[in-house]
């Protein structure tokens, strides 16, 4: 029902910035709750940031103050602005979506992932 495509990953030096994008297919973007996850090498997938409202978001402690999630409904796109990057941020980053319906807590839609490598 929903297709997500991430882009914007790459290799960056510590202290640098990257902006990830996630484009969603269809016309249901405004009805979806969006989030970013990441999976570092050899580790489990973890939540990075999730939209609460268009002006509020929940962030994992390691990225607070450095990462910002935002969305553009007109472009059906969610972004993850990453600054002050650290080697620990190296991971495959995934865009995820869930239906904004009561009782729905699982992210059922996932992108293919985009690699972010931060060198020291």
């Amino acid at each position: 029902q929903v297709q997500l495509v991430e882009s914007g990953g790459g290799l960056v030096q510590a202290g640098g910035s990257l902006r990830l994008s996630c484009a969603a297919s269809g016309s249901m973007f405004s009805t979806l709750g969006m989030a970013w996850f990441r999976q570092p090498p050899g580790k489990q997938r973890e939540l990075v940031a999730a939209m609460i409202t268009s002006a509020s978001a929940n962030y994992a402690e390691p990225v607070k103050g450095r990462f910002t999630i935002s969305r553009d409904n007109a472009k059906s796109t969610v972004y993850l602005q990453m600054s002050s990057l650290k080697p620990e941020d190296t991971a495959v980053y995934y865009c995820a979506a869930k239906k904004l319906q009561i009782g729905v807590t699982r992210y059922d839609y996932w992108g293919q992932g985009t690699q972010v490598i931060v060198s020291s």
Side-chain angles (χ1 to χ4, degrees):
Q1 292 181 325
V2 178
Q3 292 183 326
L4 306 174
V5 180
E6 304 99 331
S7 63
L11 201 163
V12 64
Q13 293 186 9
S17 300
L18 282 175
R19 186 181 181 89
L20 306 183
S21 298
C22 173
S25 65
S27 59
M28 301 181 292
F29 186 71
S30 63
T31 71
L32 300 175
M34 305 299 299
W36 287 94
F37 291 77
R38 68 184 182 186
Q39 186 166 20
K43 297 181 65 177
Q44 294 180 309
R45 185 176 61 203
E46 62 187 20
L47 176 69
V48 176
M51 297 294 300
I52 306 301
T53 67
S54 61
S56 179
N58 182 34
Y59 297 93
E61 185 64 30
V63 309
K64 285 183 178 178
R66 301 188 297 116
F67 290 12
T68 301
I69 186 173
S70 62
R71 65 190 294 160
D72 186 336
N73 288 339
K75 296 181 178 180
S76 296
T77 300
V78 63
Y79 304 95
L80 184 68
Q81 178 66 50
M82 306 183 293
S83 61
S84 301
L85 284 163
K86 304 175 181 179
E88 308 93 89
D89 296 319
T90 295
V92 177
Y93 284 72
Y94 297 91
C95 177
K98 66 178 180 180
K99 295 181 179 179
L100 290 174
Q101 298 176 355
I102 189 170
V104 178
T105 59
R106 180 186 302 174
Y107 288 93
D108 290 328
Y109 310 103
W110 295 84
Q112 83 286 352
T114 185
Q115 179 75 60
V116 173
I117 300 175
V118 184
S119 64
S120 60

